[in-house]
C-alpha cells in the first residue's frame, strides 16, 4: 500500500511541536525558583507533576479505550489545545508553588493524548517499517522535550514567560497540522465499545509482556537522566571552577542528540532486528550509568561532554524499538490501548525513579548517585532474553 509521502513528516513535526510542552517548566526552572518557593527538590517535583499527570491521563485514556474508539487525529488536536492552555497557566502572576504544580499536572494529563496517540497514528499507517517510523517519531519527542532548554539559552535577554508562550503556540500549531493533513490510517481498526478490561487483557500474551517489561526497564533510567542533566553539568562546571559554563545550551544538546539516536536505531533495526538493537542500546546506557562517577569526577570537560552526548543517544535509542515490539505484539483492535497503558506504567516508573534519586541525594554523594539508574537496564535486559520473539 502506498502511503502519501507527507504523512510521516507531518506526524513527526506535529509531535515535535506538541511535546515541547513536556519540559517547558524545566527549561525555565531557575526563573521559576526565583519567583516561587519550591524548596530544594523543586526540579524533581515539577518534573514529577508532569509525569504524574501523564500517568493519570494515560490510565484513563486506556481504561476507556479512547484512541481505539475515536479518530486519533481528533484526540491529538483536542489534547494539544488543552495542554497548551494549562501550560500557559504557569505565567499567571497569582501563582503559588502549588498552583504551578497543578498546571504542570494537567499539562502532563493532556500529553497523554499526544505522545502515545502519535505512535498509534504512525502504527495505523506503517505496518512494515514501523521501527523506522517510530524512530523519527520518538526523535521528535526528544527534540520537543529538549527545545525549552534551547529557547531559554537563546532568550536569555528576554523574560522567561516567552518560553511558555512559544511552547503553547507551537503545541496548538502541531494539533492543527495533524487534524488537517493526517486522516485515519489504512491499518486502523476501530474499537466498538468501552472495554475496561482491555488494558489488563493485553498483558496475558507472553511476548507482549516481554516487550513491555523491556520498556519499563528503559523508563527507569530515561527521564531521571534527562531531568538531572542540568545538575550533572552544573556539578561538573563547579568541579572545574567554571562560572560561565552554558548549562542550558549543553542540556539541550545532550537531550536533543537522542533524536539522532532514535533515527539511527530505527534504520539499523531494519537490517539487524528490532529486539537486537533495542538490547544493545539498553546495555550501553546501563554501562554509562555504572561508569558515570569516573567521568564526572576525573574527565576534562570536553571528554565529559562527549560522554554525556553518547549517553544521551543510547538512553533513548531503544524507546521507539520497544514501542515497535509492543505494537507488533498487541491485538490489532487494541493497539492504541496497549501503547497507552504501557506508557502509563512506564511513566509511573519514572516517578519512582525521580523520587528515589531525589531522596538518595541526602545519603549518596552526587557523583555516585546515577549508578542506581543501572537497575532499569539490567531488569529490561533480563526480561528481553527470557522470551524469543
Amino acid at each position: 500500500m502506498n502511503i502519501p509521502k507527507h504523512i510521516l513528516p507531518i506526524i513527526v513535526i506535529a509531535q515535535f511541536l506538541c511535546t515541547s510542552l513536556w519540559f517547558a517548566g524545566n527549561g525555565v526552572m531557575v526563573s521559576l525558583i526565583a519567583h516561587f518557593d519550591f524548596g530544594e527538590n523543586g526540579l524533581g517535583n515539577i518534573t514529577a507533576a508532569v509525569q504524574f499527570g501523564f500517568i493519570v491521563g494515560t490510565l484513563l485514556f486506556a481504561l476507556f479505550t479512547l484512541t481505539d474508539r475515536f479518530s486519533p487525529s481528533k484526540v491529538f488536536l483536542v489534547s494539544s489545545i488543552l495542554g497548551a492552555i494549562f501550560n500557559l497557566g504557569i505565567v499567571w502572576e497569582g501563582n503559588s508553588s502549588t498552583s504551578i504544580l497543578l498546571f504542570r499536572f494537567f499539562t502532563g494529563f493532556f500529553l497523554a493524548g499526544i505522545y502515545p496517540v502519535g505512535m498509534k497514528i504512525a502504527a495505523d499507517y506503517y505496518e512494515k517499517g514501523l521501527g523506522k517510523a517510530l524512530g523519527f517519531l520518538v526523535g521528535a519527542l526528544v527534540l520537543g522535550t529538549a527545545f525549552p532548554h534551547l529557547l531559554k539559552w537563546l532568550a536569555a535577554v528576554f523574560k522567561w514567560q516567552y518560553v511558555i508562550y512559544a511552547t503553547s503556540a507551537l503545541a496548538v500549531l502541531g494539533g492543527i497540522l495533524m487534524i488537517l493533513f493526517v486522516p485515519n490510517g489504512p491499518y486502523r481498526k476501530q474499537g466498538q465499545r468501552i472495554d475496561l478490561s482491555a488494558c489488563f487483557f493485553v498483558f496475558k500474551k507472553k511476548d507482549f509482556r516481554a516487550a513491555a517489561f523491556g520498556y519499563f526497564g528503559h523508563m527507569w533510567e530515561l527521564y531521571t537522566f534527562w531531568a538531572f542533566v542540568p545538575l550533572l553539568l552544573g556539578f561538573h562546571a563547579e568541579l572545574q571552577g567554571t562560572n560561565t559554563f552554558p548549562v542550558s545550551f549543553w542540556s539541550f544538546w545532550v537531550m536533543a542528540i537522542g533524536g539522532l539516536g532514535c533515527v539511527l536505531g530505527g534504520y539499523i533495526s531494519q537490517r539487524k532486528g528490532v529486539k537486537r538493537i533495542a538490547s544493545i542500546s539498553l546495555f550501553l546506557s546501563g554501562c554509562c550509568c555504572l561508569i558515570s562517577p569516573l567521568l564526572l569526577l576525573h574527565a576534562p570537560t570536553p571528554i565529559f561532554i562527549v560522554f554525556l552526548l553518547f549517553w544521551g543517544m543510547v538512553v533513548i535509542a531503544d524507546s521507539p524499538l520497544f514501542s515497535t515490539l509492543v505494537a507488533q505484539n498487541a491485538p490489532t483492535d487494541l493497539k492504541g490501548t496497549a501503547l497507552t497503558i504501557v506508557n502509563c506504567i512506564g511513566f509511573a516508573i519514572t516517578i519512582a525513579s525521580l523520587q528515589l534519586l531525589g531522596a538518595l541525594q541526602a545519603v549518596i554523594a552526587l557523583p555516585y548517585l546515577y549508578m542506581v539508574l543501572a537497575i532499569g537496564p539490567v531488569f529490561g535486559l533480563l526480561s528481553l532474553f527470557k522470551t524469543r520473539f
Side-chain angles (χ1 to χ4, degrees), residues 95-166:
N95 269 321
S96 64
S97 58
T98 301
S99 63
I100 286 179
L101 292 176
L102 284 172
F103 282 128
R104 296 308 293 159
F105 169 86
F106 283 109
T107 302
F109 182 94
F110 288 107
L111 279 163
I114 293 171
Y115 176 42
V117 175
M119 290 194 293
K120 157 68 173 169
I121 293 170
D124 287 344
Y125 274 95
Y126 300 96
E127 192 171 49
K128 294 182 179 180
L130 181 58
K132 184 179 75 172
L134 291 186
F136 280 103
L137 199 62
V138 178
L141 164 72
V142 174
L143 290 177
T145 54
F147 191 56
H149 289 287
L150 181 63
L151 283 178
K152 177 60 179 175
W153 178 72
L154 292 174
V157 297
F158 302 110
K159 292 181 178 180
W160 62 269
Q161 288 89 341
Y162 288 116
V163 175
I164 305 303
Y165 297 145

Side-chain angles (χ1 to χ4, degrees), residues 225 228-242 245-247 250-251 253-255 257 287-313 366-370:
F225 169 73
F228 283 87
V229 160
L231 187 61
L232 276 170
L233 289 166
F235 183 81
H236 180 77
E238 193 175 307
L239 286 177
Q240 300 294 315
T242 305
F245 188 79
V247 170
W250 284 113
S251 294
W253 283 111
V254 170
M255 293 173 65
I257 199 169
C287 290
C288 288
C289 297
L290 295 175
I291 67 172
S292 60
L294 179 66
L295 277 296
L296 180 59
L297 290 171
H298 302 294
T301 298
I303 299 299
F304 183 64
I305 292 295
V306 170
F307 166 69
L308 282 184
L309 289 171
F310 175 77
W311 195 355
M313 285 186 66
L366 183 66
Y368 304 98
L369 190 61
Y370 304 95

Side-chain angles (χ1 to χ4, degrees), residues 299-378:
T301 298
I303 299 299
F304 183 64
I305 292 295
V306 170
F307 166 69
L308 282 184
L309 289 171
F310 175 77
W311 195 355
M313 285 186 66
V314 296
V315 76
I316 184 64
D318 49 359
S319 189
L321 304 179
F322 283 125
S323 295
T324 299
L325 293 173
V326 166
Q328 289 175 342
N329 289 283
T332 304
D333 60 336
L334 293 175
K335 197 174 293 183
T337 296
L339 286 165
T340 304
I341 193 61
V342 167
N343 270 262
C344 175
I345 298 171
F347 281 87
I349 290 169
T350 70
I351 293 280
S353 177
L354 281 163
Q355 293 303 311
L356 177 62
L357 256 70
L360 288 178
Q361 287 183 76
V363 294
I364 299 178
L366 183 66
Y368 304 98
L369 190 61
Y370 304 95
M371 296 178 71
V372 177
L373 296 179
I375 295 170
V378 170

